[in-house]
């Protein structure tokens, strides 16, 4: 069942939905460790985990149960001279998911399990846009304990979660907390935004980055990261799609619109007598991008009101593919569901005139060009 969950045919070649960077909008082994000892670390200055909450419903587990079930599939990533971070096994073929930032710049990567035996790992693929990477370790299949992947669309604020990793290079440990917020946005290593991020108050440090964030059923709901000063996780539904593409092709192709946009407020629309109260002000159009080729126009001036800067004089997008858009996230969602080469229909205003343009989406560059 684990293999089907990850390798379902619908995943391979699917777009990395949920990854804002896919939008192209510039906006602000288990068995190897048998018989060894692992360490469960108690986190100080934090309320003790509500283990009861892990046992209230259905198949829910205690924190200890989650740790005992999942820990054999959590690995430490190292180089010959330093500790990089964490990762976790996703299948019996030895594929390991981690954060791109964890392995960025590393030439030789080794994976160690609970018995400290280090095995060389091959980089299958990297996706800086979603801060994810997939490695592969060669060993017999019985050496691997794949973790069960959950459904991040079902995660709710207040849900109990645990993070397993290798804090500051120490042995595996576990911390507990809750889901603090959903739909957060963070910046990927290449400068692109990642949306739909899960925020947690579970104690994390850089050593946890790349490890799993799990729910009360022991299912992975995200890839932990602590590089932005808060605990967050890339949602597992994004991870599934990205990992499937990396394993199949070694790369992930994100659609790119080439637009820098700013959500319009009714107050500003009234103040400047704009033709619509809601929409997206086009601040900038990326050179040589699909939007530029379609003729979309960016702002001609910047106006600051009460500390907020508004791009004016450019086009105002009101619909994309027939869907009314009033936030940057809405536009990212639509583009994120597309593939390079697809086209999107824009309905916009240029001055008081309504216009329709078709934008052919391109492959997102390594770093945003705007």
């Amino acid at each position: 069942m684990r293999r089907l969950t990850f390798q379902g045919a619908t995943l391979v070649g699917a777009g990395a939905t949920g990854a804002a960077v896919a939008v192209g909008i510039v906006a602000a082994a288990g068995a190897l460790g048998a018989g060894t000892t692992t360490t469960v670390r108690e986190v100080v200055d934090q309320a003790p985990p509500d283990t009861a909450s892990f046992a209230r419903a259905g198949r829910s587990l205690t924190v200890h149960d989650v740790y005992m079930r999942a820990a054999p599939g959590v690995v430490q990533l190292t180089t010959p001279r330093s500790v990089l971070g964490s990762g976790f096994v996703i299948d019996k073929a030895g594929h390991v998911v981690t954060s791109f930032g964890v392995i960025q710049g590393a030439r030789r990567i080794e994976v160690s399990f609970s018995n400290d035996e280090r095995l060389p790992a091959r980089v299958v693929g990297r996706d800086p846009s979603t801060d994810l990477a997939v490695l592969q370790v060669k060993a017999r299949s019985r050496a691997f304990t794949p973790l069960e992947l959950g459904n991040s669309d079902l995660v709710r604020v207040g849900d109990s979660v645990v993070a397993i990793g290798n804090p500051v290079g120490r042995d595996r440990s576990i911390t507990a907390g809750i889901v603090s917020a959903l739909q957060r946005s963070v910046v990927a290593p290449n400068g692109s935004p990642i949306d739909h991020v899960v925020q947690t108050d579970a104690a994390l440090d850089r050593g946890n980055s790349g490890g799993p964030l799990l729910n009360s059923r022991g299912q992975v709901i995200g890839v932990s990261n602590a590089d932005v000063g808060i605990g967050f996780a890339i949602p597992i539904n994004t991870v599934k799609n990205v990992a499937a593409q990396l394993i199949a092709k070694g790369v992930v192709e994100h659609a790119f619109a080439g637009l820098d946009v700013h959500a319009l407020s009714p107050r500003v629309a009234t103040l400047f007598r704009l033709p619509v109260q809601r929409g997206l002000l086009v601040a900038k159009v990326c050179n040589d991008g699909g939007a530029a080729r379609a003729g979309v126009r960016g702002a001609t001036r910047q106006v600051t009101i009460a500390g907020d800067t508004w791009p004016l004089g450019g086009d105002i997008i009101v619909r994309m593919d027939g869907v009314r858009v009033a936030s940057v996230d809405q536009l990212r969602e639509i583009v994120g569901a597309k593939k390079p080469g697809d086209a999107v229909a824009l309905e916009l205003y240029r001055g008081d005139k309504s216009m329709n343009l078709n934008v052919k989406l391109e492959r997102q560059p390594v770093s945003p060009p705007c």
Side-chain angles (χ1 to χ4, degrees):
M1 290 301 294
R2 291 179 181 130
R3 190 175 303 170
L4 287 174
T5 300
F6 172 67
Q7 294 181 332
T10 57
L11 296 181
V12 178
T17 56
V21 66
V23 180
I25 301 170
V26 181
L32 290 175
T36 62
T37 301
T38 57
T39 302
V40 178
R41 177 168 62 96
E42 181 180 1
V43 181
V44 297
D45 298 327
Q46 178 175 313
D50 180 10
T51 56
S53 67
F54 275 76
R56 285 182 187 133
R59 296 169 46 221
S60 295
L61 307 170
T62 67
V63 173
H64 175 74
D65 290 339
V66 173
Y67 179 82
M68 295 305 294
R69 174 182 291 190
V74 181
V75 302
Q76 184 179 72
L77 306 181
T78 64
T79 68
R81 296 183 178 181
S82 64
V83 175
L84 300 175
S86 302
F88 59 94
V89 179
I90 59 173
D91 60 27
K92 285 288 187 177
H95 289 111
V96 172
V97 165
T98 187
S99 294
F100 167 76
V102 167
I103 66 166
Q104 186 176 11
R107 295 185 178 182
R108 179 182 173 185
I109 303 170
E110 296 177 332
V111 170
S112 64
F113 296 85
S114 58
N115 62 354
D116 293 328
E117 180 180 358
R118 294 184 178 185
L119 299 175
R122 175 180 70 90
V123 177
V124 174
R126 304 176 176 90
D127 186 37
S129 296
T130 53
D131 196 20
L132 294 170
V134 175
L135 313 176
Q136 187 173 26
V137 179
K138 292 295 184 181
R140 294 183 179 181
S141 61
R142 66 171 179 265
F144 304 115
T145 304
L147 301 193
E148 182 182 354
L149 307 185
N151 181 355
S152 50
D153 287 344
L154 302 180
V155 175
R156 300 171 302 172
V157 172
D159 284 353
S160 297
V161 291
V162 298
I164 303 177
N166 301 274
V168 293
R170 298 183 182 275
D171 291 338
R172 248 183 321 212
S173 64
I174 185 169
T175 59
I178 63 169
V179 173
S180 305
L182 298 171
Q183 305 300 326
R184 293 302 199 205
S185 180
V186 297
V187 178
N190 70 344
S192 297
I194 309 175
D195 283 340
H196 307 294
V197 168
V198 179
Q199 184 180 335
T200 179
D201 68 350
L204 300 175
D205 68 11
R206 180 164 175 78
N208 290 96
S209 291
L213 186 71
L214 304 106
N215 63 17
S216 60
R217 296 186 176 185
Q219 300 168 325
V220 183
I221 60 166
V223 176
S224 300
N225 201 309
D227 287 349
V228 297
I230 61 170
F232 73 92
I234 306 302
I236 198 62
N237 288 0
T238 296
V239 178
K240 291 176 186 178
N241 288 324
V242 170
Q245 293 185 69
L246 290 177
I247 292 171
K249 301 183 294 184
V251 296
V252 180
E253 296 183 344
H254 298 291
F256 184 70
L259 291 169
D260 180 356
V261 296
H262 195 122
L264 173 63
S265 76
R267 174 170 172 262
V268 171
T270 300
L271 183 62
F272 291 96
R273 299 180 180 180
L274 300 179
V276 290
Q277 294 287 299
R278 294 286 185 182
L280 297 173
L281 301 169
V282 178
K284 187 175 182 181
V285 180
C286 299
N287 295 331
D288 299 324
R293 292 191 179 93
V296 180
R297 294 182 183 178
T300 58
R301 66 188 188 277
Q302 304 283 332
V303 178
T304 301
I305 303 172
D308 293 324
T309 300
W310 300 87
L312 299 176
D315 294 337
I316 305 173
I317 300 172
V318 293
R319 292 181 184 271
M320 175 176 276
D321 276 356
V323 178
R324 184 174 294 278
V325 289
S327 72
V328 177
D329 285 347
Q330 286 179 292
L331 197 54
R332 288 175 180 166
E333 285 280 358
I334 296 171
V335 178
K338 303 286 186 178
K339 302 187 298 294
D342 290 346
V344 291
L346 296 184
E347 181 181 328
L348 54 82
Y349 277 87
R350 182 169 296 166
D352 292 329
K353 181 181 178 181
S354 176
M355 300 179 61
N356 293 282
L357 297 175
N358 285 319
V359 175
K360 183 177 180 180
L361 303 176
E362 299 181 351
R363 182 182 299 125
Q364 185 179 25
V366 175
S367 58
C370 287

